Amino acid sequence: MTHTIAASAGPLGADSGDTRNIIDPSSGAVIATVAEQDAEGVDAAVARARAAFESGPWPALVRSARARLLLRVADAIEANSERLYTLEARNNGRPITETRAQLSRVPEWFRYNAGLLAAQRLAVLPGDGPYLTYQQRLPLGVCGIITPFNHPLLILARSLSAALANGNTVVVKPSEMTPLTTLALAEILAEAGVPDGVVNVVTGGRPAGERLTRHPDVAKITLTGGTEAGRAAAIATASRFARVTAELGGKTPVVMFDDVDPAVAAEGAAFAAFVAAGQSCVAGSRFLVQRNVYDEFVIALSARAQAIRVGDPSLPQTQMGPLISARQRDKVLDLIGTGTAEGARLAAGGGIPELPEELRGGFFLQPTVLADASMAMTVAREEIFGPVAVVIPFDAEADAVAMANDNEYGLGAGVWTTDIARAHRVASNIVAGMVWVNDHHRLEPSLPWGGVKESGIGKDAGTESFDDFSWIKSIVVRTAADHVDWYGDADQRRLN
């Protein structure tokens, strides 16, 4: 069943009259039609957000009341959880079991940032002389949040909860392919009591995102996407000295040492590589495996890949769904072909799976293992963003660290070992914003999420993100009873 979502269905910007079909990637069928908004729509949404910031109740609301409202939002999201799970799984093709596990954590971010707000202490600064110096934190104003297709609601919640806790108003531009849970969340926020104009959604493609990053009234942009999109946003915001947080691409190395049972390592590798069909910036994509367990690991990982149940994401038994689009699937297939042409061995997968007729219009791909690769190969260097594990042997610890760091990205990494000293040593030496040891893709609201090098700038989540949605004002109060006559006859020794 297809339905149309128009501007009247939520706090959207101006409607250009154009529409976009939203596709179910498991079937290729149209499941919704939304407004295709352009720069004019962004301008209207920003104007609405600015009016809500300058004259609405939200920024002036006392912090305890704002914290309570965020807690109500968390409760409302939980109350609508089944609806959100189903909608997101259908919109981006992630299996319902994965989607439920991920989205069940969304309320945590609203509760965490409500807690930071309620517990926030502001500094009183020491100084010489009869002065009291203290700080205030104030909201930035209108903040823009640009989210990707792979984890629409979770990634939005990370930034949105921190922005709202600090009293900002927001314009959200979700991926043009997966706007449905963002629109649903906007309705939930309004029903929970978030004032009109505080959260605004723009449904559109690249022109809408570019206008949002360049808009002179937007004080901060948070973007999750490709490296080039992040670079463009950083340039646009720098021109007006606005803030930017960008979580961008990755080519996550996962180092497997020979003290780990290869079968156990393969279990962890399968999760790292194939969860969300590999469509994650921190997906394990380069598995660096110590040579004397290499063959056993490849055999075990290939068996794991071949056993994964690919199919209808709405069914609880499905373990991997489709890629987001035919274009993305074709890109991944091309890279697999490039890998084998450059000398990698296809150990598992590599093609389109056999599926029931009702799923043959979907964008499915087999979980794939490319073994016997080298760091010189394209598949070992470029982000694939699909269910492809590239396996490369190494000999010594120093080799593994050098290979892990031999890439332009620095978002996530993994280390598998039972040697605790080596675990800490290697984790410290890998250049990445996040390193998991004997696990992968674990996250918490308190964990600052973000990378280095070409993987972006700034952090989502944690106190780092919370604080970056406000600006600091320092206030200096002279407390002495006498006055200062700088140009008088008295000896002046004050420091300016």
Side-chain angles (χ1 to χ4, degrees):
M1 179 179 179
T2 303
H3 59 283
T4 300
I5 302 174
S8 59
L12 301 170
D15 189 344
S16 67
D18 295 330
T19 59
R20 177 187 291 269
N21 290 334
I22 305 302
I23 305 299
D24 176 351
S26 69
S27 66
V30 176
I31 55 173
T33 302
V34 301
E36 178 70 7
Q37 296 173 284
D38 52 17
E40 184 179 350
V42 172
D43 290 347
V46 172
R48 181 182 171 96
R50 181 177 177 180
F53 182 78
E54 292 179 346
S55 59
W58 186 248
L61 201 63
V62 295
R63 64 181 56 221
S64 59
R66 205 155 63 232
R68 286 196 301 272
L69 198 150
L70 290 177
L71 294 176
R72 287 205 301 275
V73 166
D75 292 343
I77 292 170
E78 283 186 339
N80 286 273
S81 59
E82 285 299 325
R83 169 193 172 203
L84 294 171
Y85 303 156
T86 304
L87 189 61
E88 186 150 303
R90 193 174 187 205
N91 195 174
N92 75 354
R94 192 168 183 181
I96 190 68
T97 50
E98 282 187 17
T99 304
R100 181 178 286 110
Q102 184 180 81
L103 297 196
S104 66
R105 304 202 63 193
V106 165
E108 294 179 35
W109 268 261
F110 288 90
R111 291 175 179 135
Y112 174 78
N113 282 290
L116 289 182
L117 175 63
Q120 186 181 47
R121 292 187 176 187
L122 299 172
V124 175
L125 305 176
D128 295 335
Y131 297 96
L132 172 66
T133 303
Y134 63 95
Q135 292 182 334
Q136 293 179 338
R137 280 194 174 269
L138 302 167
L140 300 174
V142 179
C143 297
I145 302 175
I146 300 174
T147 59
F149 69 80
N150 53 346
H151 312 301
L153 204 54
L154 179 68
I155 288 176
L156 173 58
R158 289 192 319 215
S159 297
L160 180 62
S161 56
L164 294 180
N166 279 283
N168 299 287
T169 57
V170 177
V171 176
V172 181
K173 208 294 285 184
S175 166
E176 62 272 26
M177 293 182 285
T178 56
L180 299 186
T181 47
T182 298
L183 292 168
L185 180 62
E187 296 174 353
I188 291 168
L189 293 169
E191 292 167 1
V194 174
D196 187 49
V198 171
V199 178
N200 308 271
V201 181
V202 175
T203 53
R206 182 173 179 175
E210 290 178 345
R211 176 55 180 162
L212 186 58
T213 63
R214 294 173 180 162
H215 200 290
D217 291 338
V218 174
K220 172 171 174 155
I221 288 288
T222 299
L223 177 147
T224 302
T227 295
E228 290 312 309
R231 198 185 316 280
I235 292 170
T237 51
S239 68
R240 64 181 188 276
F241 302 108
R243 299 187 186 186
V244 63
T245 296
E247 188 225 302
L248 308 175
K251 189 64 180 173
T252 300
V254 181
V255 181
M256 300 290 190
F257 285 100
D258 61 5
D259 55 0
V260 179
D261 182 335
V264 173
E267 292 175 5
F271 172 77
F274 304 130
V275 71
Q279 296 174 117
S280 172
C281 292
V282 295
S285 57
R286 292 185 289 149
F287 292 91
L288 311 177
V289 183
Q290 203 152 24
R291 197 175 298 274
N292 60 340
V293 293
Y294 178 84
D295 290 338
E296 293 176 78
F297 174 85
V298 170
I299 291 169
L301 179 59
S302 300
R304 279 274 167 181
Q306 291 164 342
I308 290 174
R309 295 188 295 273
V310 180
D312 186 343
S314 69
L315 300 177
Q317 63 266 31
T318 297
Q319 295 176 319
M320 198 178 90
L323 275 71
I324 190 63
S325 66
R327 178 182 178 183
Q328 182 62 22
R329 183 178 65 181
D330 290 345
K331 175 192 169 187
V332 176
L333 283 169
D334 285 346
L335 281 167
I336 293 170
T338 298
T340 56
E342 291 180 354
R345 173 169 59 90
L346 186 62
I352 297 172
E354 288 291 329
L355 291 166
E357 184 175 352
E358 64 270 18
L359 299 179
R360 289 176 189 167
F363 315 123
F364 293 90
L365 186 63
Q366 293 172 327
T368 299
V369 178
L370 290 175
D372 305 343
S374 73
M375 286 300 301
M377 293 181 182
T378 303
V379 290
R381 307 204 67 81
E382 292 186 9
E383 185 174 36
I384 297 175
F385 227 68
V388 180
V390 179
V391 192
I392 307 169
F394 74 88
D395 292 304
E397 177 183 313
D399 300 328
V401 171
M403 292 162 69
N405 291 335
D406 183 16
N407 198 265
E408 63 186 358
Y409 297 112
L411 185 58
V415 179
W416 286 74
T417 180
T418 59
D419 182 334
I420 190 65
R422 179 161 58 188
H424 288 290
R425 186 170 61 244
V426 174
S428 294
N429 288 331
I430 291 177
V431 181
M434 301 162 290
V435 181
W436 294 278
V437 177
N438 298 333
D439 208 334
H440 203 84
H441 209 162
R442 289 295 306 171
L443 72 166
E444 300 291 340
S446 59
L447 187 153
W449 187 277
V452 294
K453 300 193 289 185
E454 295 284 294
S455 289
I457 183 172
K459 296 289 186 180
D460 267 334
T463 57
E464 291 80 359
S465 174
F466 179 85
D467 288 343
D468 202 48
F469 278 100
S470 64
W471 61 280
I472 295 175
K473 178 189 290 186
S474 296
I475 300 174
V476 182
V477 180
R478 190 169 190 271
T479 59
D482 62 334
H483 64 278
V484 175
D485 182 4
W486 180 258
Y487 296 105
D489 294 332
D491 182 20
Q492 299 296 338
R493 298 186 182 275
R494 62 183 280 177
L495 176 66
N496 288 301

